[in-house]
Amino acid sequence: MNNNLGMSIIPDNDSQRVESLEKYQIFNTAAEPSFDHIAGLAAKIFQVPIVLITFINKEEVFFKANVGLPGVKSVPRAESICALSILRQDPTVFTQPLSEPFIKDLPLVTGPVQLRFYAGVPILNGAGYALGTLCLIDQKERTFSDNDAAVLQDLAQLVSNETEARLTILQQKQSEIKFQGHGRKREQELNEELITANEELFAMNEELVHTSQERFKAEELLRVALDTASIGTWHMDLDSRVFTASARMNELFGFDAGYQISEQDIINQIDPAYQEDVKRLAYESVKKGAPYRVEYPIIGFNDQKIKWLLAVGRLYDNPKHQVRHFSGVTIDITEQKQDEIRKNDFIGMVSHELKTPLTSLKGYIQMLHQKAVKKEDEFSSNTLSKVEKQVIKMQTLINGFLNLSGLETGKIKLNIKEFDICQLVSDTIEDVKSSSSTTHDFIPETSEGIMLVRADRDKIGQVIYNFMTNTIKYAPLSGVVNVGCRQVGEHIQVSVKDHGIGIQPEDIPKIFDRFFRVDNLYTQHISGFGIGLYLSKEIIQRHHGQIWVESKPGEGTTFFFKLPVSGS
């Protein structure tokens, strides 16, 4: 057999496959309504001009059902794309055949048919041999979704069922003719049984049509709803890396309606300060199956408009059908984000205005405290000491609001330097002891030697401080608090462990959310706005680190974060 496809098209089990096909006695047989009906059904569902049901022997591809190529009964196997489709069990799809080296010169592509799209799935028998294919052909380029693949495989299963039913009836017919003397009568009976079987298959096919139509109606309603809500949709096949997007996505990113945007086009329009975060979150969603949710500003490609977008998606992984894709929706949240930025600017402005008089107030209190100590006025000294600690709490709260405002408006900057993080842990323990009236015994548990990281020392110190002060507030009876600092692989891990009441399992996933506070009888009397842990998470993530919590009710809680070792 001359091979015009430039690659091996003969599977290792081809001789057994052809031998199995011969048992069906279907090659070069007349058209049958059941096969024609399935082919016509596929043409209606997929809106394509050409549908073929083929069976493939050693040299030839026979068209058992043929929609759109009248008069053509078969083609040489060496010139048929269907010869490729039987090499694999999942769909074989060519959306741009002119750029495919194996098929671009085939007569079906270069000749009168002008094939510009092909999708085919194998027809498998009970032994797992690919007897032939059910294939779709179009003369214009088009996409082919995972849903399309599932429907096409369902239709191929119908062809397989019909092929097996035909073989069963044929074998019964041959058996009856061999062992009974009334061959003609039995043949008529078998024909009647075949007609009955075909009618049952027609009924099954009609049910499939109804189910498929209902599915497409639901999809159409979803598309209308998405268009009405001005929501963009996107889809990426993780095996082929083909990225497809809706017309609304083009509009959101400022591209012309007819332009086929790519994954890189999307990244290029995102504010550079947010690009790494977007890529990191997408990678984690694909790698770990985590939900994908990210907000980012963009500059439109043509209109140069600044917008804020929210992208939400997830990994869809179906090992049974070998389907792996990453898809979701994108929404314009510019108006909401601008309101939020204005709110944060206002909070930042008010907090900044409060910071100056509060600093002066703290200075006066310290002066009065020193005078009271000199005069040995114990009452005034104790009172002013308590006032100073309250002022420090107010300063901490105001600094938290300023940091929150800076983070969410993109104005906060990291001052990256190399420093010993275990020394920072020791310094922070002293700061907490001097600025609060705690009875907790903070015990440092650090590895020997210097632990260098490249980070913003003040911001990382703020995270450690938040962990420790949370222990004071939420585990007042803990007594001992273990503060760890050790190297774990290529990271330095810091932990703060108390022996308090712990956190309920349902609250752990929300513990780092903005403004979230654990709500129970104990915590309702504890002051705070629920921004400390949220700020800690944002700071650690901006350093490309990890932050998490482990807790058992009644046994205590441990907060962790880790940062890359300097130079790793």
Side-chain angles (χ1 to χ4, degrees):
M1 176 179 66
N2 294 324
N3 184 354
N4 296 330
L5 290 169
M7 63 175 289
S8 174
I9 60 172
I10 307 300
D12 294 338
N13 64 351
D14 199 58
S15 59
Q16 296 94 326
R17 186 193 67 80
V18 172
E19 182 181 349
S20 181
L21 172 64
E22 290 173 352
K23 296 177 183 178
Y24 290 83
Q25 299 182 32
I26 199 168
F27 219 80
N28 291 325
T29 56
E32 295 179 35
S34 56
F35 291 100
D36 290 342
H37 181 74
I38 296 173
L41 181 62
K44 289 179 182 178
I45 290 175
F46 291 99
Q47 295 294 300
V48 293
I50 301 172
V51 176
L52 302 173
I53 295 176
T54 73
F55 291 92
I56 304 172
N57 68 6
K58 188 176 181 181
E59 299 284 345
E60 194 176 8
V61 178
F62 165 63
F63 298 168
K64 179 62 178 175
N66 179 342
V67 175
L69 293 177
V72 182
K73 297 292 185 182
S74 64
V75 295
R77 182 176 178 180
E79 298 179 358
S80 173
I81 302 178
C82 294
L84 298 176
S85 295
I86 66 169
L87 299 179
R88 48 191 292 180
Q89 292 194 1
D90 52 339
T92 297
V93 181
F94 296 106
T95 56
Q96 295 180 322
L98 291 176
S99 62
E100 299 287 347
F102 298 124
I103 67 171
K104 65 178 182 177
D105 297 323
L106 293 180
L108 202 61
V109 178
T110 60
V113 174
Q114 293 289 297
L115 179 146
R116 295 296 179 267
F117 167 82
Y118 175 91
V121 293
I123 299 166
L124 304 174
N125 69 357
Y129 292 117
L131 305 179
T133 67
L134 170 62
C135 63
L136 313 175
I137 295 173
D138 205 340
Q139 292 156 325
K140 59 183 180 181
E141 294 183 2
R142 56 187 293 166
T143 58
F144 194 72
S145 68
D146 294 332
N147 182 67
D148 294 334
V151 173
L152 188 60
Q153 287 175 317
D154 289 342
L155 291 172
Q157 185 60 52
L158 281 181
V159 177
S160 178
N161 294 345
E162 173 61 23
T163 305
E164 295 296 335
R166 185 183 183 281
L167 175 62
T168 300
I169 295 171
L170 180 63
Q171 290 172 338
Q172 290 175 345
K173 177 180 176 180
Q174 291 173 338
S175 178
E176 291 294 333
I177 291 174
K178 181 177 180 180
F179 294 105
Q180 296 183 18
H182 305 288
R184 291 185 180 274
K185 180 180 179 181
R186 184 56 183 158
E187 182 179 357
Q188 182 179 357
E189 291 175 353
L190 289 172
N191 285 335
E192 291 175 355
E193 290 176 9
L194 181 60
I195 291 171
T196 301
N198 281 337
E199 288 175 349
E200 291 176 355
L201 284 169
F202 283 146
M204 291 171 58
N205 292 342
E206 291 299 331
E207 183 178 352
L208 178 63
V209 170
H210 177 72
T211 302
S212 298
Q213 288 174 342
E214 291 299 317
R215 181 188 296 181
F216 285 119
K217 284 180 182 177
E219 289 181 350
E220 184 60 29
L221 286 173
L222 177 60
R223 280 192 290 270
V224 171
L226 291 174
D227 290 341
T228 303
S230 296
I231 297 174
T233 60
W234 44 270
H235 174 283
M236 174 182 281
D237 186 304
L238 295 178
D239 296 321
S240 66
R241 303 298 295 181
V242 173
F243 183 86
T244 55
S246 67
R248 175 59 178 160
M249 284 289 286
N250 282 48
E251 183 182 346
L252 287 173
F253 284 85
F255 290 96
D256 295 332
Y259 179 70
Q260 182 64 47
I261 60 177
S262 66
E263 177 189 10
Q264 192 57 47
D265 289 329
I266 298 293
I267 295 296
N268 289 343
Q269 301 316 121
I270 296 174
D271 186 319
Y274 289 79
Q275 289 182 8
E276 289 304 317
D277 280 344
V278 172
K279 290 190 285 188
R280 175 180 57 80
L281 291 170
Y283 174 80
E284 289 178 357
S285 180
V286 172
K287 190 74 174 177
K288 303 176 183 178
Y292 175 68
R293 181 185 176 88
V294 60
E295 297 176 4
Y296 51 80
I298 67 158
I299 301 176
F301 182 76
N302 286 328
D303 54 25
Q304 295 295 298
K305 288 183 178 179
I306 298 175
K307 297 189 185 83
W308 275 87
L309 303 180
L310 166 65
V312 180
R314 55 167 291 197
L315 170 70
Y316 294 85
D317 193 356
N318 188 340
K320 181 179 179 182
H321 297 293
Q322 296 181 334
V323 174
R324 294 183 71 250
H325 66 269
F326 182 50
S327 58
V329 299
T330 299
I331 308 168
D332 187 342
I333 58 168
T334 304
E335 186 175 343
Q336 304 95 298
K337 199 66 180 181
Q338 287 175 341
D339 288 342
E340 191 174 303
I341 290 172
R342 283 191 287 268
K343 178 197 69 178
N344 287 330
D345 284 344
F346 175 75
I347 292 173
M349 179 186 67
V350 172
S351 300
H352 190 271
E353 291 300 318
L354 288 172
K355 189 175 182 180
T356 301
L358 203 58
T359 301
S360 299
L361 180 60
K362 181 182 177 183
Y364 292 134
I365 290 170
Q366 289 173 338
M367 290 171 58
L368 290 172
H369 182 252
Q370 290 172 0
K371 286 187 177 182
V373 171
K374 288 180 180 179
K375 292 181 178 181
E376 298 182 352
D377 184 347
E378 187 175 347
F379 173 78
S380 297
S381 176
N382 291 337
T383 302
L384 289 167
S385 179
K386 292 177 181 179
V387 172
E388 183 180 0
K389 288 177 180 178
Q390 294 303 315
V391 170
I392 291 173
K393 281 186 179 181
M394 291 181 66
Q395 283 184 317
T396 302
L397 188 61
I398 289 172
N399 287 333
F401 279 122
L402 284 171
N403 286 329
L404 176 66
S405 174
L407 279 170
E408 298 191 343
T409 56
K411 295 176 182 177
I412 194 166
K413 302 298 180 183
L414 298 179
N415 182 21
I416 303 297
K417 293 182 179 179
E418 190 173 68
F419 63 91
D420 181 358
I421 191 170
C422 291
Q423 182 60 50
L424 175 62
V425 168
S426 299
D427 293 345
T428 308
I429 290 175
E430 295 304 317
D431 290 343
V432 171
K433 288 180 178 179
S434 63
S435 62
S436 63
S437 56
T438 179
T439 59
H440 291 70
D441 185 10
F442 290 93
I443 300 178
E445 298 176 347
T446 61
S447 302
E448 293 184 3
I450 298 175
M451 300 288 178
L452 295 178
V453 296
R454 286 187 57 78
D456 186 318
R457 192 179 192 279
D458 291 340
K459 297 293 187 299
I460 299 302
Q462 183 181 342
V463 174
I464 301 170
Y465 187 89
N466 282 338
F467 282 4
M468 292 183 185
T469 52
N470 264 14
T471 296
I472 294 172
K473 287 196 294 184
Y474 294 100
L477 303 179
S478 174
V480 172
V481 177
N482 305 95
V483 185
C485 179
R486 58 179 58 88
Q487 184 165 348
V488 179
E490 296 296 318
H491 292 80
I492 303 298
Q493 179 174 292
V494 175
S495 60
V496 177
K497 178 180 181 180
D498 66 46
H499 303 276
I501 61 173
I503 303 171
Q504 295 299 319
E506 63 270 19
D507 290 326
I508 287 179
K510 300 175 285 187
I511 203 72
F512 293 104
D513 290 352
R514 183 178 56 174
F515 302 132
F516 176 77
R517 299 186 72 235
V518 174
D519 186 14
N520 56 43
L521 290 175
Y522 176 75
T523 60
Q524 65 184 356
H525 301 295
I526 299 175
S527 62
F529 291 94
I531 62 174
L533 290 177
Y534 168 74
L535 285 171
S536 298
K537 178 193 73 172
E538 291 293 321
I539 289 169
I540 295 301
Q541 287 184 346
R542 287 171 189 254
H543 284 83
H544 307 291
Q546 292 177 266
I547 187 170
W548 72 100
V549 61
E550 296 175 2
S551 183
K552 289 184 178 180
E555 296 184 18
T557 300
T558 306
F559 282 93
F560 299 87
F561 74 82
K562 62 182 181 180
L563 299 173
V565 175
S566 179
S568 65

